[in-house]
Amino acid sequence: EAGVAQSPRYKIIEKRQSVAFWCNPISGHATLYWYQQILGQGPKLLIQFQNNGVVDDSQLPKDRFSAERLKGVDSTLKIQPAKLEDSAVYLCASRAAGLTTDTQYFGPGTRLTVL
Amino acid sequence: DAKTTQPPSMDCAEGRAANLPCNHSTISGNEYVYWYRQIHSQGPQYIIHGLKNNETNEMASLIITEDRNSSTLILPHATLRDTAVYYCIVRVSPSGGSYIPTFGRGTSLIVHP
């Protein structure tokens, strides 16, 4: 079974530039999550999708961050414009539908450096 | 979700058992205990979860106290590849309503030769 795929793995941009990350979850997984992990901290949830609908985006800085999952499969997370404090690893995770427990499968992450 | 407390770091000799504690004294009756680990430069990996009973799988064992205020993740024969940050999380079943998955800082386990 293929895991969660993310690209790119690394990205370096200057502040005020835009950047986009892509995630392809495990086939058949209805729930998709985007996390931000700042160095030395645990992952922080940014947004959670159930199929193509948003379940929770309360911790997403909506003035600069946006995410979509148009067909309920892969997803993109965008930052526009980026700030220095956005430097972090952006993790995507997915979970199968119908489970009564919360086993998430994570991708390798995209490491973003904002200069 | 209930808050968890874990020691920031631990070390263990290779081949010995690693016992990672987690305190979750505010846990509710419908909250599960989950453990994930994150090896350097990788995404977190699910290890095990439990509600009340002790659990064991091919990766680890989970011991939950009778009052459910704390738990211990046991890696029975730690290897160098078990060096990682281990996260203890408590959360309700997804079918029980919405929640925000929350990872703390976890425990950095170093397995040495």
Side-chain angles (χ1 to χ4, degrees):
Chain A
E1 179 184 76
V4 176
Q6 290 188 248
S7 68
R9 290 296 313 277
Y10 304 92
K11 189 74 176 180
I12 300 173
I13 61 173
E14 295 189 349
K15 59 183 179 183
R16 291 187 289 273
Q17 286 188 320
S18 301
V19 64
F21 312 126
W22 175 81
C23 171
N24 190 14
I26 293 173
S27 178
H29 281 198
T31 308
L32 184 147
Y33 310 81
W34 282 103
Y35 288 85
Q36 179 193 58
Q37 186 171 25
I38 293 171
L39 186 65
Q41 300 181 17
K44 169 190 162 187
L45 181 71
L46 293 176
I47 189 167
Q48 177 181 343
F49 290 96
Q50 181 73 16
N51 296 309
N52 61 350
V54 175
V55 173
D56 193 299
D57 63 357
S58 59
Q59 299 190 108
L60 185 74
K62 298 181 187 64
D63 58 333
R64 298 183 301 106
F65 286 65
S66 64
E68 59 184 15
R69 193 185 185 199
L70 292 176
K71 296 183 179 179
V73 181
D74 55 353
S75 175
T76 56
L77 176 69
K78 297 179 182 177
I79 307 175
Q80 180 179 7
K83 293 185 175 181
L84 296 177
E85 58 261 35
D86 297 332
S87 293
V89 175
Y90 290 85
L91 295 161
C92 179
S94 70
R95 179 173 66 85
L99 293 181
T100 57
T101 56
D102 183 42
T103 302
Q104 297 180 46
Y105 296 88
F106 284 80
T110 297
R111 182 176 296 277
L112 173 67
T113 302
V114 182
L115 303 175
Chain B
D1 290 339
K3 184 173 179 172
T4 62
T5 304
Q6 298 178 254
S9 64
M10 295 182 64
D11 70 284
C12 173
E14 188 177 20
R16 306 298 283 267
N19 300 301
L20 292 91
C22 179
N23 182 285
H24 33 77
S25 56
T26 60
I27 193 169
S28 300
N30 61 346
E31 288 182 312
Y32 289 76
V33 180
Y34 288 82
W35 283 84
Y36 286 79
R37 74 178 182 185
Q38 187 171 24
I39 295 170
H40 183 61
S41 296
Q42 297 183 22
Q45 174 191 25
Y46 165 81
I47 301 173
I48 199 167
H49 74 278
L51 183 63
K52 298 179 184 178
N53 301 321
N54 299 336
E55 303 287 345
T56 296
N57 63 18
E58 64 278 5
M59 291 183 68
S61 295
L62 174 61
I63 308 297
I64 302 174
T65 58
E66 192 169 341
D67 60 10
R68 304 212 320 126
N69 287 341
S70 65
S71 61
T72 301
L73 179 75
I74 301 173
L75 308 178
H77 305 287
T79 70
L80 299 179
R81 283 178 287 187
D82 292 324
T83 292
V85 176
Y86 287 77
Y87 297 100
C88 168
I89 303 155
V90 293
R91 65 176 62 140
V92 299
S93 159
S95 62
S98 65
Y99 61 94
I100 299 176
T102 304
F103 288 77
R105 291 181 180 261
T107 296
S108 175
L109 174 69
I110 296 175
V111 181
H112 54 85

